[in-house]
Amino acid sequence: MASTAAPESPPAAVSDALPRMISVRTADDRDAGQWDAYVRSHHAGTPFHLHAWKRVLEQTFGHGGRFLIAESAGRVCGVLPLAEVRSRLFGHSLVSLPFCPYAGPLVDDSAVLSDLTSAAETLASDRGAAHLEFRGFEPRGTGWPAQDLYVTFRGPIVADHDVNMKAIPRKQRAMVRKGISNGLTVSVGDLDGFHRLYADNVHRHGTPGQSKAFFERLCAGFGDDAEVMLVHAPDGAPVSGVLSLYFRGEVLPFYAGDTVTARDLAANDFKYWMLMCRAADRGCTTFDFGRSKRGTGPWHFKKNWGFEPTPLTYEYRLFDRESIPQHNPLNPRYRLMIETWRRLPRGLVGWLGPLIVGGLG
């Protein structure tokens, strides 16, 4: 499938005829309406910029929401969602935003970007953070150290399901048809069932998982724009699931999980095909397969669908550290921890995982 343009791009430099006053302040819940209106109207807005994330992160992890809003002449001209992450294991940081693949500054022009960036640096320094992190699609000219470990996979979809099917490369299309021939079915709305699949999946992979409360708050904050879909085997047993976000003509499968039997049934292939169909029926024109680390199994799986990887750039303003943090499973220092986590009892990791995952972000 041909890739679609990333929603973010560096703001163009603007030379105003007259200087204007730009004020930056910390937004609160009373600003939610105008905040979201700005995000939805901005060409680079994403679901990860929406104000709902402030409550999700604060209530689930206790991360202080430090959402910065820029105004000029009585109107919003820029927003920057930030969350303060404090962890005994992983340190103290200010991130835009934890658990989100991209959520960097949205601005009218370069002057607003400069003011928001300066305000974020001051806030991070005043709060004693070890680093400030912006997540986006392209470098923003900050000059900060950056890494491109992650990519996302984006591609167009159309209303005609046959056209979408033919756009999938032949080998992957055969896997989708295998799932269809296996008599798999889908259902929507079972968050409890989804969380069981998700929790089992992350345990097998040796990583701590999100609590059910996180997903409950996410669904509550996004309403009809968050959807849980399960895939069932012919006997009715759930074997795979996905929680997706919808935003302005795009669908993004955000969290997923499956059982060990899903692969033999081609349940994951069937799952994403059915999500593509559901999204097309809702009028979506872009399928964003979500973030993956370069060269990993999920990276290869998504590339097999014909989507070209879109690089993500994460920029870091370092204060009390000398190098970019590497809090991800590819870091060799975590190999022993991952193997140990896989062997722990399911009940223990279900209790302990949400206490750890908040510091990873």
Side-chain angles (χ1 to χ4, degrees):
M1 291 186 175
S3 62
T4 61
E8 260 184 281
S9 58
V14 174
S15 176
D16 294 333
L18 295 173
R20 74 189 194 283
M21 294 297 296
I22 301 170
S23 62
V24 178
R25 61 180 176 84
T26 302
D28 57 33
D29 290 344
R30 292 171 295 182
D31 296 304
Q34 64 173 342
W35 179 288
D36 285 351
Y38 182 81
V39 170
R40 293 184 184 280
S41 66
H42 198 284
H43 73 279
T46 76
F48 304 107
H49 288 94
L50 293 173
H51 198 270
W53 280 103
K54 183 174 184 292
R55 179 170 296 181
V56 171
L57 295 173
E58 288 177 342
Q59 293 183 349
T60 307
F61 309 105
H63 295 340
R66 313 290 175 181
F67 281 35
L68 301 182
I69 187 168
E71 297 167 308
S72 178
R75 68 174 188 84
V76 179
C77 57
V79 297
L80 173 56
L82 291 162
E84 187 173 9
V85 180
R86 293 179 180 269
S87 168
R88 292 182 179 180
L89 289 175
F90 305 107
H92 182 191
S93 59
L94 202 63
V95 184
S96 179
L97 269 177
F99 308 110
C100 298
Y102 36 80
L106 293 181
V107 297
D108 281 3
D109 55 54
S110 58
V112 183
L113 175 63
S114 178
D115 285 1
L116 273 176
T117 301
S118 295
E121 289 183 288
T122 299
L123 178 62
S125 178
D126 290 347
R127 299 294 300 175
H131 72 271
L132 167 66
E133 179 180 349
F134 286 175
R135 301 178 177 183
F137 284 91
E138 298 179 19
R140 294 183 171 275
T142 60
W144 302 347
Q147 69 173 354
D148 60 353
L149 173 65
Y150 295 98
V151 301
T152 190
F153 291 81
R154 296 168 53 81
I157 56 177
V158 298
D160 189 326
H161 298 333
D162 289 338
V163 172
N164 292 328
M165 178 67 83
K166 291 176 182 177
I168 301 172
R170 180 178 56 82
K171 289 185 178 180
Q172 182 56 47
R173 189 163 65 241
M175 293 301 296
V176 173
R177 295 194 186 282
K178 178 182 177 181
I180 295 172
S181 67
N182 281 335
L184 303 177
T185 59
V186 298
S187 66
V188 174
D190 183 1
L191 184 59
D192 289 342
F194 165 75
H195 188 257
R196 286 191 292 270
L197 290 167
Y198 161 80
D200 181 64
N201 184 278
V202 293
H203 185 202
R204 294 199 315 271
H205 285 84
T207 56
Q210 299 283 10
S211 67
K212 189 170 74 171
F214 169 78
F215 295 114
E216 290 172 340
R217 289 169 182 144
L218 189 64
C219 289
F222 281 81
D224 292 340
D225 290 332
E227 181 182 81
V228 169
M229 187 182 76
L230 300 188
V231 174
H232 301 267
D235 64 359
V239 292
S240 187
V242 61
L243 188 156
S244 304
L245 298 179
Y246 289 86
F247 179 82
R248 210 170 55 185
E250 299 185 12
V251 61
L252 187 143
F254 191 28
Y255 281 92
D258 58 23
T259 65
V260 292
T261 60
R263 183 172 183 176
D264 290 339
L265 292 169
N268 292 326
D269 310 271
F270 178 77
K271 173 178 66 182
Y272 291 115
W273 166 246
M274 291 305 297
L275 176 61
M276 193 176 294
C277 292
R278 290 186 62 81
D281 290 344
R282 285 182 59 150
C284 291
T285 56
T286 298
F287 192 95
D288 186 330
F289 232 137
R291 182 180 74 171
S292 292
K293 292 178 282 292
R294 293 176 183 272
T296 60
W299 185 93
H300 287 289
F301 176 79
K302 295 171 184 179
K303 202 170 190 308
N304 288 343
W305 284 74
F307 291 86
E308 289 301 318
T310 300
L312 298 175
T313 298
Y314 290 8
E315 298 172 286
Y316 299 82
R317 173 67 166 90
L318 304 179
F319 295 99
D320 190 23
R321 63 180 313 129
E322 296 181 353
S323 61
I324 293 173
Q326 299 294 337
H327 303 321
N328 67 81
L330 297 184
N331 189 334
R333 65 181 292 189
Y334 295 135
R335 286 176 183 168
L336 179 60
M337 296 174 61
I338 290 171
E339 291 304 317
T340 301
W341 191 265
R342 286 173 172 158
R343 291 172 170 79
L344 294 178
R346 179 71 189 84
L348 178 60
V349 299
W351 171 77
L352 190 57
L355 301 178
I356 297 174
V357 74
L360 290 169

